[in-house]
Amino acid sequence: MDPKLGRMAASLLAVLLLLEGDMFSSHSVPPALLEKVFQYIDLHQDEFVQTLKEWVAIESDSVQPVPRFRQELFRMMAVAADTLQRLGTRVTSVDMGSQQLPDGQSLPIPPVILAELGNDPTKRTVCFYGHLDVQPADQGDGWLTDPYVLTEVDGKLYGRGATDNKGPVLAWINAVSAFRALEQDLPVNIKFIIEGMEEAGSVALEELVEKEKNRFFSGVDYIVISDNLWISQRKPAITYGTRGNSYFMVEVKCRDQDFHSGTFGGILHEPMADLVALLGSLVDSSGHILVPGIYDEVAPLTEEEINTYKAIHLDLEEYRNSSRVEKFLFDTKEEILMHLWRYPSLSIHGIEGAFDEPGAKTVIPGQVIGKFSIRLVPHMNVSVVEKQVTQHLEDVFSKRNSSNKMVVSMTLGLHPWIANINDTQYLAAKRAIRTVFGTEPDMIRDGSTIPIAKMFQEIVHKSVVLIPLGAVDDGEHSQNEKINRWNYIEGTKLFAAFFLEMAQLHHKNLLV
């Protein structure tokens, strides 16, 4: 968006707020407030990029359980805590204890930051969740630049954590800092919960949230997460749902040792043959899951939902080209989005114990483990799905009359999450996006699983919204991860506008 257009839009919204007599505290909103905030953000964008560069330089990898990376994680959390303290927030770094690993070693868990700024009872309180740990990255794995040196090329800021999730966390902090630097009263009370173990499963976070439910979270009205991406390169989005995930292992075992195919081939029930038959029974060539009853609890499709998919901007040709896929299973935008977001899918991930190296080896594996998962959607239940899958595999296996032993286990069970898009903060987010980007947002779900959203909704019982800042091609978790400078800076403005919109809507609700 052209900066002049952004300032014009800001001025227009400020005038409208004044005309409506809107108040987020005891004073009217200054007519040029948004323009001043946006100008400040534009003028200081190089400083914001420099701070992101400093944060990206910290190798806060939580996935590789080695002391050096844990030290980096602790350093990252300390830097973030110091940044928040300099904003005037009250910061508590919560000791999370240690993590026991399968090999017997113990590693300290980085602290979780709980921070608060403002406690005005006449204002709404918005809590922002973010994480500062990253996935592993090494330049030798295909990065064009050093992943821990933020490098700008054609307006793209390349670096591990740039979009997932250091950039969005800093955008929220930058938005708060703009009001503080201009000596403007914050329109809402702000809280932060920032962790350093999200990429490793948010170790011990659920226990902390449960513990703080009636303390830190007691005054929170809304929770904002910015930890996913738009569905396009230029059009912003609001995310109101994610799929869950049930991860399964199916083991077929004859004995502990492998066999020679010349000595035993033809006289055994081979575990690999059993496993391939089991995996092949799960899903057909059209992507339809073959487990009986699996679709029974899927929420019915409504006309309103169909219209939501129709309104979403998705260029199928661009999507295919960027995905480097010749053909998808479905031909229309609506079908693709529905099968990504609101229908379950089953994916086969791999086989443990099989020969998978280059060359030829005439081995019959003595035991193999197949790995697959099902992405769950409302209103599917994890325990019901576990029973359905287990029963199906047992039925298929019994028909083979194999002498091998089969064991099915579900190693992960995460429920889907969906929010009420009529909540106040969804309306505020829509208005803020119109102000900053001059367009209506895509209302999207995410086909992946973001457990923290469901956790907050179930434990804290507050409205949760996902406001992504990154473009669809940002490459989170992959080589050459990036965030566009435009997304980072306009995202900072988006959060600032969101604060004001929340305040305006709160005042209107008080008058009703």
Side-chain angles (χ1 to χ4, degrees), residues 159-370:
R160 176 57 89 218
T163 199
D164 182 22
N165 186 227
K166 295 178 180 180
V169 171
L170 274 173
W172 187 273
I173 293 173
N174 296 340
V176 174
S177 73
F179 283 91
R180 304 290 281 177
L182 294 169
E183 299 183 344
Q184 296 292 334
D185 190 25
L186 273 169
V188 292
N189 301 316
I190 301 288
K191 290 194 176 187
F192 295 85
I193 175 168
I194 301 175
E195 67 160 318
M197 290 294 286
E198 191 271 348
E199 302 293 1
S202 295
V203 178
L205 185 66
E206 185 171 352
E207 292 84 350
L208 176 64
V209 173
E210 187 71 54
K211 182 180 177 182
E212 293 291 337
K213 177 173 62 175
N214 298 317
R215 293 189 297 195
F216 179 79
F217 291 104
S218 62
V220 170
D221 297 298
Y222 304 101
I223 295 173
V224 176
I225 301 171
S226 184
D227 192 22
N228 62 320
L229 303 175
W230 300 347
I231 198 173
S232 74
Q233 292 186 16
R234 296 290 290 182
K235 189 177 181 187
I238 298 172
T239 304
Y240 65 95
T242 63
R243 292 196 288 188
N245 192 13
S246 290
Y247 200 101
F248 290 90
M249 306 255 192
V250 52
E251 179 182 3
V252 181
K253 180 177 180 178
C254 178
R255 70 175 192 182
D256 293 331
Q257 290 177 289
D258 292 342
F259 299 91
H260 190 294
S261 65
T263 306
F264 289 94
I267 63 172
L268 291 177
H269 290 112
E270 297 190 11
M272 182 68 88
D274 284 341
L275 181 59
V276 169
L278 290 167
L279 296 177
S281 75
L282 293 170
V283 63
D284 67 18
S285 60
S286 68
H288 185 80
I289 302 173
L290 300 174
V291 176
I294 201 76
Y295 291 96
D296 289 354
E297 299 303 317
V298 174
L301 181 63
T302 65
E303 192 67 31
E304 181 183 7
E305 189 181 343
I306 293 173
N307 291 333
T308 300
Y309 297 126
K310 289 180 179 178
I312 291 172
H313 173 74
L314 179 66
D315 186 320
L316 286 185
E317 185 175 357
E318 178 188 287
Y319 189 48
R320 273 193 295 266
N321 290 339
S322 64
S323 304
R324 288 179 288 180
V325 173
E326 185 176 331
K327 180 176 172 56
F328 290 118
L329 291 175
F330 306 96
D331 297 321
T332 69
K333 172 185 70 175
E334 291 78 12
E335 286 178 307
I336 286 175
L337 293 177
M338 284 192 285
H339 284 85
L340 276 175
W341 298 342
R342 64 106 52 228
Y343 289 123
S345 64
L346 189 150
S347 300
I348 297 170
H349 304 297
I351 296 176
E352 184 179 328
F355 173 63
D356 63 348
E357 298 174 6
K361 185 178 180 182
T362 56
V363 66
I364 300 173
Q367 60 179 353
V368 285
I369 301 173

